[in-house]
Short mmCIF file of all heavy atoms in Angstrom, two decimals:
data_model
loop_
_atom_site.label_atom_id
_atom_site.label_comp_id
_atom_site.label_asym_id
_atom_site.label_seq_id
_atom_site.Cartn_x
_atom_site.Cartn_y
_atom_site.Cartn_z
N MET R 5 14.35 -6.56 12.88
CA MET R 5 13.12 -7.10 12.30
C MET R 5 12.22 -5.92 11.89
O MET R 5 12.01 -5.00 12.64
CB MET R 5 12.45 -7.98 13.32
CG MET R 5 11.21 -8.62 12.82
SD MET R 5 10.59 -10.02 13.77
CE MET R 5 10.13 -9.25 15.30
N SER R 6 11.72 -5.99 10.65
CA SER R 6 10.88 -4.89 10.16
C SER R 6 9.39 -5.20 10.36
O SER R 6 9.00 -6.39 10.47
CB SER R 6 11.16 -4.60 8.73
OG SER R 6 10.89 -5.75 7.94
N THR R 7 8.61 -4.15 10.47
CA THR R 7 7.19 -4.33 10.62
C THR R 7 6.50 -4.70 9.28
O THR R 7 7.14 -4.62 8.20
CB THR R 7 6.55 -3.05 11.10
OG1 THR R 7 6.67 -2.02 10.13
CG2 THR R 7 7.20 -2.59 12.40
N THR R 8 5.26 -5.10 9.37
CA THR R 8 4.52 -5.46 8.15
C THR R 8 4.41 -4.26 7.23
O THR R 8 4.55 -4.38 6.05
CB THR R 8 3.12 -5.97 8.54
OG1 THR R 8 3.26 -7.10 9.43
CG2 THR R 8 2.33 -6.35 7.31
N ALA R 9 4.18 -3.07 7.80
CA ALA R 9 4.08 -1.84 6.98
C ALA R 9 5.40 -1.55 6.30
O ALA R 9 5.39 -1.18 5.08
CB ALA R 9 3.69 -0.67 7.87
N ASP R 10 6.51 -1.81 6.95
CA ASP R 10 7.82 -1.60 6.29
C ASP R 10 8.01 -2.57 5.14
O ASP R 10 8.53 -2.21 4.08
CB ASP R 10 8.97 -1.74 7.28
CG ASP R 10 8.99 -0.68 8.36
OD1 ASP R 10 8.46 0.42 8.04
OD2 ASP R 10 9.55 -0.94 9.42
N LYS R 11 7.61 -3.79 5.34
CA LYS R 11 7.68 -4.78 4.25
C LYS R 11 6.81 -4.40 3.07
O LYS R 11 7.23 -4.60 1.92
CB LYS R 11 7.30 -6.17 4.79
CG LYS R 11 8.23 -6.74 5.77
CD LYS R 11 7.76 -8.06 6.33
CE LYS R 11 8.62 -8.61 7.44
NZ LYS R 11 8.07 -9.81 8.01
N ILE R 12 5.62 -3.92 3.36
CA ILE R 12 4.69 -3.48 2.29
C ILE R 12 5.30 -2.35 1.49
O ILE R 12 5.31 -2.36 0.28
CB ILE R 12 3.30 -3.10 2.90
CG1 ILE R 12 2.60 -4.34 3.42
CG2 ILE R 12 2.48 -2.38 1.84
CD1 ILE R 12 1.36 -4.02 4.15
N LEU R 13 5.84 -1.34 2.23
CA LEU R 13 6.41 -0.19 1.52
C LEU R 13 7.64 -0.55 0.73
O LEU R 13 7.86 0.00 -0.37
CB LEU R 13 6.77 0.90 2.56
CG LEU R 13 5.61 1.58 3.29
CD1 LEU R 13 6.06 2.50 4.33
CD2 LEU R 13 4.71 2.26 2.21
N ALA R 14 8.41 -1.50 1.20
CA ALA R 14 9.56 -1.96 0.46
C ALA R 14 9.15 -2.62 -0.83
O ALA R 14 9.75 -2.48 -1.93
CB ALA R 14 10.44 -2.92 1.25
N GLU R 15 8.10 -3.44 -0.78
CA GLU R 15 7.58 -4.14 -1.96
C GLU R 15 6.96 -3.13 -2.94
O GLU R 15 7.15 -3.32 -4.12
CB GLU R 15 6.48 -5.18 -1.53
CG GLU R 15 6.03 -6.04 -2.64
CD GLU R 15 7.07 -7.03 -3.22
OE1 GLU R 15 8.00 -7.38 -2.44
OE2 GLU R 15 6.96 -7.40 -4.37
N ILE R 16 6.25 -2.13 -2.47
CA ILE R 16 5.67 -1.10 -3.33
C ILE R 16 6.78 -0.35 -4.04
O ILE R 16 6.64 -0.03 -5.26
CB ILE R 16 4.83 -0.12 -2.51
CG1 ILE R 16 3.57 -0.82 -1.99
CG2 ILE R 16 4.49 1.09 -3.24
CD1 ILE R 16 2.78 -0.02 -0.97
N ALA R 17 7.87 -0.09 -3.37
CA ALA R 17 9.01 0.65 -3.97
C ALA R 17 9.63 -0.12 -5.12
O ALA R 17 10.21 0.50 -6.02
CB ALA R 17 10.04 0.97 -2.92
N ARG R 18 9.55 -1.40 -5.14
CA ARG R 18 10.11 -2.23 -6.20
C ARG R 18 9.31 -2.24 -7.44
O ARG R 18 9.75 -2.68 -8.48
CB ARG R 18 10.28 -3.66 -5.70
CG ARG R 18 11.24 -3.85 -4.60
CD ARG R 18 11.44 -5.27 -4.09
NE ARG R 18 10.48 -6.19 -4.66
CZ ARG R 18 10.82 -7.45 -5.00
NH1 ARG R 18 12.05 -7.88 -4.79
NH2 ARG R 18 9.92 -8.24 -5.53
N HIS R 19 8.10 -1.75 -7.42
CA HIS R 19 7.20 -1.76 -8.60
C HIS R 19 7.13 -0.44 -9.28
O HIS R 19 7.69 0.55 -8.79
CB HIS R 19 5.79 -2.17 -8.17
CG HIS R 19 5.68 -3.66 -7.91
ND1 HIS R 19 6.04 -4.23 -6.69
CD2 HIS R 19 5.29 -4.68 -8.68
CE1 HIS R 19 5.86 -5.50 -6.76
NE2 HIS R 19 5.41 -5.83 -7.94
N GLU R 20 6.39 -0.41 -10.39
CA GLU R 20 6.21 0.81 -11.15
C GLU R 20 5.51 1.89 -10.31
O GLU R 20 4.78 1.57 -9.40
CB GLU R 20 5.37 0.53 -12.39
CG GLU R 20 5.98 -0.45 -13.35
CD GLU R 20 5.09 -0.82 -14.49
OE1 GLU R 20 4.02 -0.20 -14.61
OE2 GLU R 20 5.44 -1.70 -15.23
N GLU R 21 5.64 3.12 -10.80
CA GLU R 21 5.02 4.19 -10.08
C GLU R 21 3.54 4.16 -10.14
O GLU R 21 2.86 4.54 -9.16
CB GLU R 21 5.52 5.52 -10.68
CG GLU R 21 5.08 6.77 -9.94
CD GLU R 21 5.73 7.99 -10.51
OE1 GLU R 21 6.93 8.04 -10.69
OE2 GLU R 21 4.94 8.96 -10.77
N ASP R 22 2.91 3.74 -11.22
CA ASP R 22 1.49 3.73 -11.39
C ASP R 22 0.84 2.38 -11.10
O ASP R 22 -0.11 1.95 -11.68
CB ASP R 22 1.13 4.14 -12.82
CG ASP R 22 1.48 5.54 -13.15
OD1 ASP R 22 1.57 6.36 -12.19
OD2 ASP R 22 1.73 5.85 -14.30
N TRP R 23 1.35 1.71 -10.11
CA TRP R 23 0.92 0.36 -9.76
C TRP R 23 -0.23 0.45 -8.76
O TRP R 23 -0.09 1.05 -7.70
CB TRP R 23 2.10 -0.41 -9.16
CG TRP R 23 1.82 -1.87 -8.82
CD1 TRP R 23 1.23 -2.79 -9.59
CD2 TRP R 23 2.12 -2.49 -7.62
NE1 TRP R 23 1.16 -4.00 -8.94
CE2 TRP R 23 1.72 -3.81 -7.69
CE3 TRP R 23 2.70 -2.07 -6.40
CZ2 TRP R 23 1.84 -4.74 -6.66
CZ3 TRP R 23 2.87 -3.00 -5.37
CH2 TRP R 23 2.42 -4.29 -5.53
N CYS R 24 -1.33 -0.19 -9.08
CA CYS R 24 -2.42 -0.40 -8.17
C CYS R 24 -2.32 -1.74 -7.54
O CYS R 24 -1.95 -2.68 -8.21
CB CYS R 24 -3.76 -0.26 -8.87
SG CYS R 24 -4.11 1.40 -9.51
N PHE R 25 -2.64 -1.84 -6.28
CA PHE R 25 -2.44 -3.12 -5.55
C PHE R 25 -3.49 -3.36 -4.51
O PHE R 25 -4.30 -2.42 -4.23
CB PHE R 25 -1.03 -3.13 -4.90
CG PHE R 25 -0.74 -1.86 -4.12
CD1 PHE R 25 -1.12 -1.78 -2.79
CD2 PHE R 25 -0.14 -0.79 -4.72
CE1 PHE R 25 -0.83 -0.59 -2.07
CE2 PHE R 25 0.15 0.33 -3.98
CZ PHE R 25 -0.21 0.46 -2.66
N SER R 26 -3.58 -4.57 -4.02
CA SER R 26 -4.51 -4.92 -2.99
C SER R 26 -3.78 -5.74 -1.94
O SER R 26 -2.63 -6.19 -2.20
CB SER R 26 -5.64 -5.73 -3.57
OG SER R 26 -5.24 -7.03 -3.93
N PRO R 27 -4.38 -5.96 -0.79
CA PRO R 27 -3.71 -6.76 0.25
C PRO R 27 -3.36 -8.18 -0.24
O PRO R 27 -2.37 -8.78 0.21
CB PRO R 27 -4.70 -6.79 1.40
CG PRO R 27 -5.48 -5.53 1.25
CD PRO R 27 -5.57 -5.29 -0.25
N LYS R 28 -4.10 -8.68 -1.18
CA LYS R 28 -3.83 -10.01 -1.69
C LYS R 28 -2.50 -10.09 -2.40
O LYS R 28 -1.87 -11.16 -2.49
CB LYS R 28 -4.91 -10.44 -2.67
CG LYS R 28 -6.24 -10.70 -2.01
CD LYS R 28 -7.28 -11.16 -2.95
CE LYS R 28 -8.60 -11.43 -2.26
NZ LYS R 28 -9.68 -11.85 -3.22
N ASP R 29 -1.98 -8.98 -2.93
CA ASP R 29 -0.68 -8.96 -3.57
C ASP R 29 0.47 -9.15 -2.59
O ASP R 29 1.60 -9.37 -3.00
CB ASP R 29 -0.48 -7.63 -4.33
CG ASP R 29 -1.43 -7.48 -5.49
OD1 ASP R 29 -1.74 -8.47 -6.15
OD2 ASP R 29 -1.88 -6.30 -5.70
N PHE R 30 0.18 -9.04 -1.29
CA PHE R 30 1.19 -9.10 -0.27
C PHE R 30 1.00 -10.28 0.69
O PHE R 30 1.61 -10.27 1.78
CB PHE R 30 1.22 -7.81 0.52
CG PHE R 30 1.48 -6.55 -0.30
CD1 PHE R 30 0.37 -5.92 -0.87
CD2 PHE R 30 2.74 -6.17 -0.60
CE1 PHE R 30 0.60 -4.75 -1.63
CE2 PHE R 30 2.97 -5.02 -1.40
CZ PHE R 30 1.87 -4.37 -1.91
N MET R 31 0.29 -11.32 0.26
CA MET R 31 -0.02 -12.40 1.14
C MET R 31 1.20 -13.16 1.60
O MET R 31 1.17 -13.78 2.69
CB MET R 31 -1.03 -13.36 0.45
CG MET R 31 -2.41 -12.78 0.23
SD MET R 31 -3.25 -12.35 1.77
CE MET R 31 -3.62 -13.94 2.37
N GLY R 32 2.27 -13.13 0.87
CA GLY R 32 3.45 -13.79 1.33
C GLY R 32 4.26 -13.10 2.41
O GLY R 32 5.17 -13.68 2.98
N LEU R 33 3.92 -11.87 2.67
CA LEU R 33 4.63 -11.09 3.67
C LEU R 33 4.14 -11.33 5.11
O LEU R 33 4.94 -11.24 6.04
CB LEU R 33 4.55 -9.61 3.34
CG LEU R 33 5.10 -9.14 2.02
CD1 LEU R 33 4.90 -7.65 1.86
CD2 LEU R 33 6.60 -9.48 1.95
N ALA R 34 2.82 -11.49 5.24
CA ALA R 34 2.23 -11.60 6.62
C ALA R 34 0.86 -12.22 6.44
O ALA R 34 0.39 -12.42 5.35
CB ALA R 34 2.17 -10.26 7.26
N GLU R 35 0.23 -12.47 7.61
CA GLU R 35 -1.11 -12.99 7.60
C GLU R 35 -2.08 -11.90 7.22
O GLU R 35 -1.80 -10.69 7.32
CB GLU R 35 -1.47 -13.56 8.94
CG GLU R 35 -0.66 -14.81 9.29
CD GLU R 35 -1.13 -15.54 10.45
OE1 GLU R 35 -2.29 -15.30 10.92
OE2 GLU R 35 -0.34 -16.29 11.05
N ARG R 36 -3.29 -12.27 6.81
CA ARG R 36 -4.27 -11.32 6.29
C ARG R 36 -4.65 -10.26 7.34
O ARG R 36 -4.81 -9.09 6.99
CB ARG R 36 -5.47 -12.06 5.83
CG ARG R 36 -6.57 -11.20 5.16
CD ARG R 36 -6.00 -10.52 3.94
NE ARG R 36 -6.91 -9.49 3.51
CZ ARG R 36 -7.52 -9.47 2.35
NH1 ARG R 36 -7.38 -10.48 1.54
NH2 ARG R 36 -8.32 -8.49 2.01
N ASP R 37 -4.84 -10.60 8.58
CA ASP R 37 -5.20 -9.66 9.60
C ASP R 37 -4.10 -8.58 9.78
O ASP R 37 -4.42 -7.38 9.86
CB ASP R 37 -5.43 -10.34 10.99
CG ASP R 37 -6.65 -11.20 11.01
OD1 ASP R 37 -7.54 -10.97 10.12
OD2 ASP R 37 -6.77 -12.05 11.90
N ALA R 38 -2.85 -8.99 9.80
CA ALA R 38 -1.74 -7.99 9.92
C ALA R 38 -1.70 -7.12 8.66
O ALA R 38 -1.43 -5.92 8.80
CB ALA R 38 -0.44 -8.76 10.09
N LEU R 39 -1.95 -7.66 7.48
CA LEU R 39 -1.97 -6.91 6.29
C LEU R 39 -3.07 -5.86 6.30
O LEU R 39 -2.87 -4.67 5.97
CB LEU R 39 -2.09 -7.77 5.07
CG LEU R 39 -0.94 -8.63 4.65
CD1 LEU R 39 -1.29 -9.52 3.50
CD2 LEU R 39 0.25 -7.77 4.28
N ASP R 40 -4.27 -6.27 6.70
CA ASP R 40 -5.39 -5.34 6.81
C ASP R 40 -5.12 -4.18 7.78
O ASP R 40 -5.42 -3.02 7.46
CB ASP R 40 -6.64 -6.08 7.19
CG ASP R 40 -7.23 -6.99 6.12
OD1 ASP R 40 -6.86 -6.79 4.95
OD2 ASP R 40 -7.98 -7.90 6.46
N LYS R 41 -4.51 -4.48 8.88
CA LYS R 41 -4.16 -3.42 9.87
C LYS R 41 -3.14 -2.46 9.29
O LYS R 41 -3.21 -1.23 9.44
CB LYS R 41 -3.72 -4.09 11.18
CG LYS R 41 -4.86 -4.65 11.96
CD LYS R 41 -4.31 -5.27 13.25
CE LYS R 41 -5.42 -5.98 13.97
NZ LYS R 41 -4.96 -6.61 15.23
N ALA R 42 -2.15 -3.06 8.64
CA ALA R 42 -1.05 -2.22 8.09
C ALA R 42 -1.62 -1.34 6.97
O ALA R 42 -1.27 -0.15 6.89
CB ALA R 42 0.07 -3.12 7.54
N PHE R 43 -2.44 -1.88 6.09
CA PHE R 43 -3.06 -1.09 5.06
C PHE R 43 -3.91 0.02 5.65
O PHE R 43 -3.94 1.16 5.12
CB PHE R 43 -3.85 -1.97 4.09
CG PHE R 43 -3.08 -2.53 2.95
CD1 PHE R 43 -2.21 -3.55 3.16
CD2 PHE R 43 -3.17 -1.96 1.72
CE1 PHE R 43 -1.45 -4.07 2.08
CE2 PHE R 43 -2.45 -2.46 0.64
CZ PHE R 43 -1.56 -3.49 0.84
N SER R 44 -4.64 -0.27 6.67
CA SER R 44 -5.48 0.69 7.33
C SER R 44 -4.62 1.87 7.87
O SER R 44 -4.95 3.03 7.68
CB SER R 44 -6.31 0.08 8.42
OG SER R 44 -7.05 1.03 9.12
N ARG R 45 -3.56 1.53 8.55
CA ARG R 45 -2.69 2.54 9.11
C ARG R 45 -1.96 3.37 8.04
O ARG R 45 -1.92 4.62 8.16
CB ARG R 45 -1.62 1.89 9.99
CG ARG R 45 -2.12 1.37 11.30
CD ARG R 45 -1.09 0.75 12.15
NE ARG R 45 -1.71 0.15 13.33
CZ ARG R 45 -1.38 -1.06 13.78
NH1 ARG R 45 -0.43 -1.78 13.16
NH2 ARG R 45 -1.93 -1.55 14.84
N LEU R 46 -1.47 2.72 6.97
CA LEU R 46 -0.78 3.43 5.94
C LEU R 46 -1.77 4.33 5.18
O LEU R 46 -1.38 5.45 4.80
CB LEU R 46 -0.14 2.47 4.96
CG LEU R 46 1.04 1.71 5.49
CD1 LEU R 46 1.47 0.58 4.48
CD2 LEU R 46 2.22 2.64 5.76
N SER R 47 -2.99 3.92 5.00
CA SER R 47 -3.96 4.80 4.30
C SER R 47 -4.41 5.96 5.21
O SER R 47 -4.65 7.11 4.70
CB SER R 47 -5.14 4.01 3.81
OG SER R 47 -5.85 3.44 4.83
N SER R 48 -4.47 5.74 6.50
CA SER R 48 -4.90 6.85 7.35
C SER R 48 -3.78 7.90 7.50
O SER R 48 -4.04 9.06 7.75
CB SER R 48 -5.30 6.34 8.76
OG SER R 48 -4.22 5.79 9.45
N GLU R 49 -2.51 7.44 7.33
CA GLU R 49 -1.40 8.31 7.35
C GLU R 49 -1.07 8.93 5.97
O GLU R 49 -0.11 9.67 5.81
CB GLU R 49 -0.14 7.61 7.82
CG GLU R 49 -0.18 7.13 9.24
CD GLU R 49 0.94 6.17 9.63
OE1 GLU R 49 1.83 5.95 8.79
OE2 GLU R 49 0.96 5.71 10.78
N VAL R 50 -1.91 8.61 4.98
CA VAL R 50 -1.81 9.05 3.58
C VAL R 50 -0.51 8.70 2.96
O VAL R 50 0.03 9.37 2.10
CB VAL R 50 -2.11 10.62 3.48
CG1 VAL R 50 -2.34 11.01 2.01
CG2 VAL R 50 -3.29 11.03 4.31
N VAL R 51 0.05 7.57 3.36
CA VAL R 51 1.20 7.00 2.69
C VAL R 51 0.76 6.26 1.40
O VAL R 51 1.40 6.31 0.38
CB VAL R 51 1.98 6.03 3.63
CG1 VAL R 51 3.16 5.39 2.90
CG2 VAL R 51 2.47 6.79 4.84
N ILE R 52 -0.36 5.60 1.55
CA ILE R 52 -1.03 4.99 0.39
C ILE R 52 -2.46 5.54 0.36
O ILE R 52 -2.97 6.07 1.35
CB ILE R 52 -1.08 3.47 0.44
CG1 ILE R 52 -1.79 2.90 1.68
CG2 ILE R 52 0.35 2.89 0.36
CD1 ILE R 52 -1.95 1.42 1.71
N ARG R 53 -3.11 5.40 -0.81
CA ARG R 53 -4.48 5.95 -0.95
C ARG R 53 -5.43 4.81 -1.33
O ARG R 53 -5.11 3.97 -2.20
CB ARG R 53 -4.45 7.00 -2.02
CG ARG R 53 -5.80 7.52 -2.41
CD ARG R 53 -5.68 8.64 -3.47
NE ARG R 53 -4.96 8.15 -4.61
CZ ARG R 53 -4.63 8.91 -5.65
NH1 ARG R 53 -4.91 10.22 -5.60
NH2 ARG R 53 -3.97 8.40 -6.68
N ARG R 54 -6.58 4.75 -0.70
CA ARG R 54 -7.60 3.80 -0.99
C ARG R 54 -8.42 4.31 -2.16
O ARG R 54 -9.09 5.35 -2.02
CB ARG R 54 -8.47 3.54 0.21
CG ARG R 54 -9.49 2.49 -0.06
CD ARG R 54 -10.32 2.20 1.19
NE ARG R 54 -11.27 1.18 0.94
CZ ARG R 54 -12.53 1.10 1.39
NH1 ARG R 54 -12.90 2.12 2.17
NH2 ARG R 54 -13.32 0.16 1.01
N ILE R 55 -8.32 3.61 -3.28
CA ILE R 55 -9.10 4.00 -4.46
C ILE R 55 -10.51 3.50 -4.42
O ILE R 55 -11.43 4.15 -4.71
CB ILE R 55 -8.40 3.47 -5.72
CG1 ILE R 55 -6.98 4.04 -5.82
CG2 ILE R 55 -9.21 3.78 -6.97
CD1 ILE R 55 -6.19 3.43 -6.96
N GLY R 56 -10.62 2.24 -3.98
CA GLY R 56 -11.92 1.65 -3.84
C GLY R 56 -11.79 0.51 -2.84
O GLY R 56 -10.79 0.31 -2.18
N ARG R 57 -12.86 -0.31 -2.74
CA ARG R 57 -12.81 -1.39 -1.79
C ARG R 57 -11.67 -2.42 -2.17
O ARG R 57 -11.75 -3.11 -3.18
CB ARG R 57 -14.13 -2.11 -1.77
CG ARG R 57 -14.24 -3.13 -0.72
CD ARG R 57 -15.56 -3.75 -0.68
NE ARG R 57 -15.65 -4.73 0.37
CZ ARG R 57 -16.62 -5.62 0.48
NH1 ARG R 57 -17.65 -5.61 -0.35
NH2 ARG R 57 -16.58 -6.49 1.47
N GLY R 58 -10.63 -2.45 -1.33
CA GLY R 58 -9.56 -3.38 -1.53
C GLY R 58 -8.56 -2.99 -2.56
O GLY R 58 -7.69 -3.85 -2.90
N VAL R 59 -8.61 -1.77 -3.10
CA VAL R 59 -7.70 -1.37 -4.17
C VAL R 59 -7.02 -0.09 -3.69
O VAL R 59 -7.69 0.88 -3.28
CB VAL R 59 -8.41 -1.09 -5.50
CG1 VAL R 59 -7.42 -0.66 -6.55
CG2 VAL R 59 -9.17 -2.32 -5.91
N TYR R 60 -5.68 -0.07 -3.77
CA TYR R 60 -4.88 1.04 -3.26
C TYR R 60 -3.83 1.45 -4.30
O TYR R 60 -3.54 0.72 -5.21
CB TYR R 60 -4.11 0.62 -1.97
CG TYR R 60 -5.01 0.23 -0.86
CD1 TYR R 60 -5.49 -1.10 -0.74
CD2 TYR R 60 -5.38 1.14 0.14
CE1 TYR R 60 -6.37 -1.44 0.30
CE2 TYR R 60 -6.20 0.79 1.18
CZ TYR R 60 -6.70 -0.50 1.28
OH TYR R 60 -7.49 -0.87 2.27
N ASP R 61 -3.30 2.67 -4.15
CA ASP R 61 -2.17 3.10 -4.87
C ASP R 61 -1.35 4.10 -4.06
O ASP R 61 -1.74 4.37 -2.93
CB ASP R 61 -2.54 3.73 -6.20
CG ASP R 61 -3.15 5.13 -6.11
OD1 ASP R 61 -3.56 5.53 -5.01
OD2 ASP R 61 -3.25 5.81 -7.09
N VAL R 62 -0.23 4.56 -4.60
CA VAL R 62 0.57 5.56 -3.87
C VAL R 62 0.17 6.92 -4.45
O VAL R 62 0.24 7.12 -5.63
CB VAL R 62 2.03 5.28 -4.10
CG1 VAL R 62 2.91 6.37 -3.43
CG2 VAL R 62 2.43 3.92 -3.55
N PRO R 63 -0.28 7.86 -3.57
CA PRO R 63 -0.69 9.16 -4.13
C PRO R 63 0.52 9.92 -4.66
O PRO R 63 1.63 9.86 -4.15
CB PRO R 63 -1.29 9.83 -2.94
CG PRO R 63 -0.74 9.17 -1.73
CD PRO R 63 -0.44 7.78 -2.16
N ARG R 64 0.27 10.63 -5.76
CA ARG R 64 1.32 11.46 -6.35
C ARG R 64 0.82 12.93 -6.23
O ARG R 64 -0.35 13.19 -6.30
CB ARG R 64 1.50 11.17 -7.83
CG ARG R 64 2.14 9.79 -8.03
CD ARG R 64 2.35 9.57 -9.47
NE ARG R 64 0.99 9.30 -10.06
CZ ARG R 64 0.73 9.39 -11.34
NH1 ARG R 64 1.66 9.77 -12.19
NH2 ARG R 64 -0.48 9.21 -11.80
N TYR R 65 1.72 13.84 -6.03
CA TYR R 65 1.37 15.19 -5.87
C TYR R 65 2.07 16.02 -6.99
O TYR R 65 3.20 15.83 -7.37
CB TYR R 65 1.90 15.77 -4.50
CG TYR R 65 1.25 15.00 -3.34
CD1 TYR R 65 1.88 13.94 -2.72
CD2 TYR R 65 -0.02 15.35 -2.93
CE1 TYR R 65 1.26 13.22 -1.72
CE2 TYR R 65 -0.67 14.66 -1.91
CZ TYR R 65 0.01 13.61 -1.31
OH TYR R 65 -0.60 12.91 -0.31
N SER R 66 1.26 16.95 -7.54
CA SER R 66 1.74 17.78 -8.65
C SER R 66 2.12 19.16 -8.11
O SER R 66 1.38 19.75 -7.29
CB SER R 66 0.65 17.89 -9.68
OG SER R 66 0.96 18.84 -10.64
N ARG R 67 3.23 19.67 -8.57
CA ARG R 67 3.62 21.01 -8.20
C ARG R 67 2.72 22.03 -8.86
O ARG R 67 2.53 23.09 -8.34
CB ARG R 67 5.09 21.26 -8.69
CG ARG R 67 6.07 20.44 -7.92
CD ARG R 67 7.47 20.74 -8.40
NE ARG R 67 8.36 19.72 -7.93
CZ ARG R 67 9.46 19.36 -8.58
NH1 ARG R 67 9.82 20.01 -9.68
NH2 ARG R 67 10.23 18.41 -8.11
N VAL R 68 2.19 21.69 -10.01
CA VAL R 68 1.32 22.59 -10.73
C VAL R 68 -0.03 22.75 -10.02
O VAL R 68 -0.60 23.85 -9.91
CB VAL R 68 1.09 22.14 -12.15
CG1 VAL R 68 0.14 23.07 -12.94
CG2 VAL R 68 2.44 22.09 -12.90
N LEU R 69 -0.62 21.64 -9.61
CA LEU R 69 -1.94 21.64 -9.00
C LEU R 69 -1.83 21.93 -7.52
O LEU R 69 -2.70 22.18 -6.82
CB LEU R 69 -2.65 20.34 -9.25
CG LEU R 69 -2.85 20.01 -10.76
CD1 LEU R 69 -3.48 18.64 -10.86
CD2 LEU R 69 -3.75 21.04 -11.41
#
């Protein structure tokens, strides 16, 4: 059985690289409280980046910069 964070990351991997998302995009995976906690943990681990209130993306790193 996978965790909510694992389910979120699997769903993110299926989308385009420049996809912005919110917890509402993942409502079918878990309840809202579990999603909020998973998003908080993933953003504190810098797996995802919080752009604004309720909006996230996956950070990209440039070799040049």
Side-chain angles (χ1 to χ4, degrees):
M5 183 164 65
S6 61
T7 65
T8 303
D10 292 336
K11 292 177 185 177
I12 290 170
L13 292 175
E15 187 67 26
I16 290 170
R18 293 179 355 141
H19 284 84
E20 298 175 8
E21 187 175 310
D22 294 334
W23 182 50
C24 292
F25 48 89
S26 72
K28 290 181 181 181
D29 295 323
F30 301 92
M31 291 299 287
L33 299 178
E35 293 190 20
R36 184 60 193 246
D37 291 341
L39 288 174
D40 289 340
K41 288 180 185 179
F43 269 77
S44 176
R45 288 182 186 134
L46 289 171
S47 64
S48 68
E49 295 171 2
V50 194
V51 176
I52 60 175
R53 174 177 55 186
R54 184 177 181 219
I55 298 172
R57 185 176 180 194
V59 181
Y60 298 85
D61 75 345
V62 177
R64 292 182 287 160
Y65 299 98
S66 171
R67 293 182 195 152
V68 177
L69 300 176

